[in-house]
Amino acid sequence: MMAQSQSQAQQQQLLSHKDGSLFRQVVRHFENKQYKKGLKAAEQILRKNPNHADTQAMKALIIGNQGHSQEAFALAKTALNNNMRSHVCWHVYGLLYRSEKNFEESIKAYKFALRLEPESVPIQRDLAHLQIQMRDYEGYIASRKNMLQQKPGFRQNWTALAIANHLAGNYEAAENVLTTYEDTLKSKPSRADLEHWEAVLYKNKIIAESGDLDKALEHLDAVGNKVADVLAVLEMRADYLLRLGRKDEAEAAYAALLDRNPENSAYYEGYIKAKDLVDAPPAELKKVLDSLAAKYPKADLPRRKPLDFLSGDAFREAADAYLMRMLPKGIPSTFANIKHLYTDPSKRDIVQDLAEGYASSNASQANGTSESGDKKDQFQSSVLYFLAQHYNYKHSRDLDKAMFYAEKCIALDPKSVDFLAVKARTFKHQGDFAAAAEAMEAARALDEKDRAINTKAAKYHLRNDQNEKALETASKFTQNKTVGGPLGDLVDMQAISYLTEDGQSYLRQRKLGLALKRFHQILNVFDLWQDDQFDFHSFSLRKGMIRAYVDMLRWEDNLRAHPFFSRMAISACQAYIALYDNPDLVHGPIPALNGQTNHTDLSPAERKKALKKAKREQEKMEKAEAEKKAALKAAKPTPKADQEDGKKEDTDPFGKKLLETKDPLQDALKFLNPLLQFSPSLVDAQVVGFEIYSRRGKWLLATKSLLQLKALDPSHANIAKYSARIESALSANDVDARIKTIVQQELNKTLQ
């Protein structure tokens, strides 16, 4: 009886020839992201076969990609109930879990699908991609071995298995995989076979990383003349020779590289190491660099590099020669090239003395020649611009002098964007953000086609908390056609710097909803960058760009160590701390009453009045935004293409849902955990870490942040205050005795 019912169920899953063809169309429409067409075809099949599990699963996958995840999971479960033995249903179930970033459940579903259909290439591929995404190297090795056994003639499978072993640290196994494939080739690859020679260079990289540099060099010498990437071969060979101590050969190798590119600082460092001049007297090292400067008369590096190690009169002479080479030409980057020297006060003072000397004399006296009027004016303006930047810089700041020289620059050339920009920077450092924004806007107006100055102007408006003006400025370089207008464009373009400045501006204004909205948008961008790896797991193998792919994976492992993330995460934590300390901010910034900015000191009646005013302002802002959106819709209807791609209007543009969280400190951990994991050396990261952990009553973690803060900055102003807070908490009876003991021991040991 049971066998009969199973047979009937299987018959119900069979489609007619016409419906089978229609089902294949559903799959194609999904792969081409034509979701409406795919949904229409799936529903056409289900009208005739309402319980066809594979079609239900594909329909679930389509509506899941349209953003309806709950309905998608419900339909996928229905499909599984209709046919538990369908590998398609289990595969779709895994894809849905992957879209929700529940990778563990996704892997379980993929593995169950493989039990039903062990030779399914799409399922094996998706499982392998998920394993490398999660850095499950052992699982990835197993999956790639299975794929290789099924298709041993497919080169990508050999390469992928080598990558799996390489990333897992199995260097010998990775090398053997690539060697085995090379031995199977019946004819020698031509020089035009880029995929093969890229794999050969990757094999050489594996040998070098295993530590066998002699073998790596021998292999490189054997294959190097056949590889199309000549520069990579030259760089690898020079590096191997230097690390092996073969200095004469390394010197010749780096000399050849310098002939190709005399502006690469790494080549100079390698050349100097090869000549054993790292600890040589400065005069001897300068002699070598002077010979290189004579050999490469247009190169800047051999003339600038001596400034790093010379001192005293020798430095003055070299700095004078360098500045007198750059300033008469009016090169704007002159100051940027040498400002790193200012960490040494003596060098900073010498540069300042030289530049002041140029400014106090005319150009012909400065360089000992008679110059034409135009060249004299160019030299004079370059010197004044240099001094304006010099006195703006943090290690040599004198803002009165900076403004004096900026004004003199503008007097010489009132239409110079650079001169107005340095004046704006001076206002910013003086704390006058309104004047800074006005000056930078004037600079932008001089060249409206310059994206760089447009970006600067928008940034300065944000520093002045002119969010609407900043968006209007930035919109001059956006399409303004997507859902959400200019801001939607900036989010789509992943303009991290703008979104960060915008969020920090709203944080200063205590508009926490908008601040958190921006910070979460940036968090989503970083998540998207991490998810983008999925596209490259197959693309890089298909194109044969293996070394770049491995470098990308290693870069992704430290993605959140980037300053863009840490700066945003610290601000997001500060916003959540403010929301926790002052829940009334959920209604918007609380206006000051009777001169009191701290509304906790207000009487109940005054507090009620302040909250009412805040709510009224919030409603007014929301109404204005709604009217603006309605006007935008009327003027520019949303294109159908955007709707097809699943782009929807943001239903929470002011971040109200983020503000309505019941546990702000728990939400802050989304930012704090990766911040402390990847940027533990940042003082501000440890500060917000202590503030959040102490409020959550996690005294061990709070103590850890305090100890890290003490190690990073022993004189930090908050150390005594934080220590007192911990002592106060330990004196309470609600802290576990074991925690008290550990914390007290650490504090006594470290903070004494």
Side-chain angles (χ1 to χ4, degrees), residues 336-398:
N337 287 351
I338 67 168
K339 66 181 182 181
H340 67 281
L341 302 171
Y342 283 27
T343 52
D344 183 337
S346 63
K347 292 185 178 182
R348 175 200 63 201
D349 294 343
I350 290 173
V351 171
Q352 178 177 309
D353 185 52
L354 287 171
E356 289 281 11
Y358 303 151
S360 63
S361 61
N362 59 49
S364 60
Q365 290 174 333
N367 59 19
T369 59
S370 178
E371 299 284 354
S372 64
D374 289 344
K375 288 187 177 181
K376 181 177 179 180
D377 289 344
Q378 185 180 59
F379 177 78
Q380 186 180 5
S381 62
S382 295
V383 171
L384 295 175
Y385 180 56
F386 181 92
L387 284 167
Q389 292 175 293
H390 168 86
Y391 286 116
N392 252 308
Y393 191 51
K394 60 184 178 181
H395 292 304
S396 53
R397 186 160 292 169
D398 185 334

Side-chain angles (χ1 to χ4, degrees), residues 294-356:
K295 186 177 181 181
Y296 311 116
K298 294 183 179 180
D300 178 70
L301 260 175
R303 292 170 173 82
R304 175 158 49 95
K305 207 163 182 62
L307 301 179
D308 294 341
F309 56 83
L310 293 176
S311 59
D313 291 338
F315 174 81
R316 176 182 287 273
E317 182 181 348
D320 185 29
Y322 182 76
L323 291 174
M324 289 307 301
R325 182 175 185 268
M326 302 290 281
L327 293 174
K329 297 178 182 178
I331 298 174
S333 62
T334 303
F335 179 75
N337 287 351
I338 67 168
K339 66 181 182 181
H340 67 281
L341 302 171
Y342 283 27
T343 52
D344 183 337
S346 63
K347 292 185 178 182
R348 175 200 63 201
D349 294 343
I350 290 173
V351 171
Q352 178 177 309
D353 185 52
L354 287 171
E356 289 281 11

Side-chain angles (χ1 to χ4, degrees), residues 240-463:
Y240 297 162
L241 289 168
L242 183 61
R243 289 160 66 186
L244 286 169
R246 294 162 62 172
K247 299 293 180 68
D248 291 340
E249 294 173 86
E251 180 184 339
Y254 277 109
L257 286 168
L258 284 170
D259 287 339
R260 294 176 67 94
N261 182 6
E263 293 290 1
N264 190 317
S265 60
Y267 297 166
Y268 285 93
E269 291 172 7
Y271 185 75
I272 289 168
K273 288 179 182 177
K275 290 181 74 69
D276 267 334
L277 294 174
V278 175
D279 298 319
E284 188 176 343
L285 185 53
K286 185 177 185 302
K287 186 177 179 181
V288 171
L289 289 170
D290 285 345
S291 66
L292 291 173
K295 186 177 181 181
Y296 311 116
K298 294 183 179 180
D300 178 70
L301 260 175
R303 292 170 173 82
R304 175 158 49 95
K305 207 163 182 62
L307 301 179
D308 294 341
F309 56 83
L310 293 176
S311 59
D313 291 338
F315 174 81
R316 176 182 287 273
E317 182 181 348
D320 185 29
Y322 182 76
L323 291 174
M324 289 307 301
R325 182 175 185 268
M326 302 290 281
L327 293 174
K329 297 178 182 178
I331 298 174
S333 62
T334 303
F335 179 75
N337 287 351
I338 67 168
K339 66 181 182 181
H340 67 281
L341 302 171
Y342 283 27
T343 52
D344 183 337
S346 63
K347 292 185 178 182
R348 175 200 63 201
D349 294 343
I350 290 173
V351 171
Q352 178 177 309
D353 185 52
L354 287 171
E356 289 281 11
Y358 303 151
S360 63
S361 61
N362 59 49
S364 60
Q365 290 174 333
N367 59 19
T369 59
S370 178
E371 299 284 354
S372 64
D374 289 344
K375 288 187 177 181
K376 181 177 179 180
D377 289 344
Q378 185 180 59
F379 177 78
Q380 186 180 5
S381 62
S382 295
V383 171
L384 295 175
Y385 180 56
F386 181 92
L387 284 167
Q389 292 175 293
H390 168 86
Y391 286 116
N392 252 308
Y393 191 51
K394 60 184 178 181
H395 292 304
S396 53
R397 186 160 292 169
D398 185 334
L399 296 177
D400 290 336
K401 286 187 176 181
M403 185 60 74
F404 170 75
Y405 285 114
E407 293 287 6
K408 291 191 75 171
C409 286
I410 294 169
L412 285 175
D413 186 359
K415 294 186 177 181
S416 169
V417 173
D418 290 333
F419 296 167
L420 278 170
V422 78
K423 180 180 179 180
R425 194 177 306 122
T426 307
F427 279 130
K428 181 188 74 171
H429 290 150
Q430 288 176 339
D432 191 346
F433 294 111
E438 184 180 348
M440 195 61 80
E441 177 64 22
R444 185 201 65 79
L446 292 173
D447 189 354
E448 295 188 349
K449 295 182 180 180
D450 188 333
R451 185 189 292 268
I453 196 65
N454 178 277
T455 303
K456 274 286 185 185
K459 176 182 174 181
Y460 274 53
H461 287 310
L462 290 173
R463 291 286 176 91

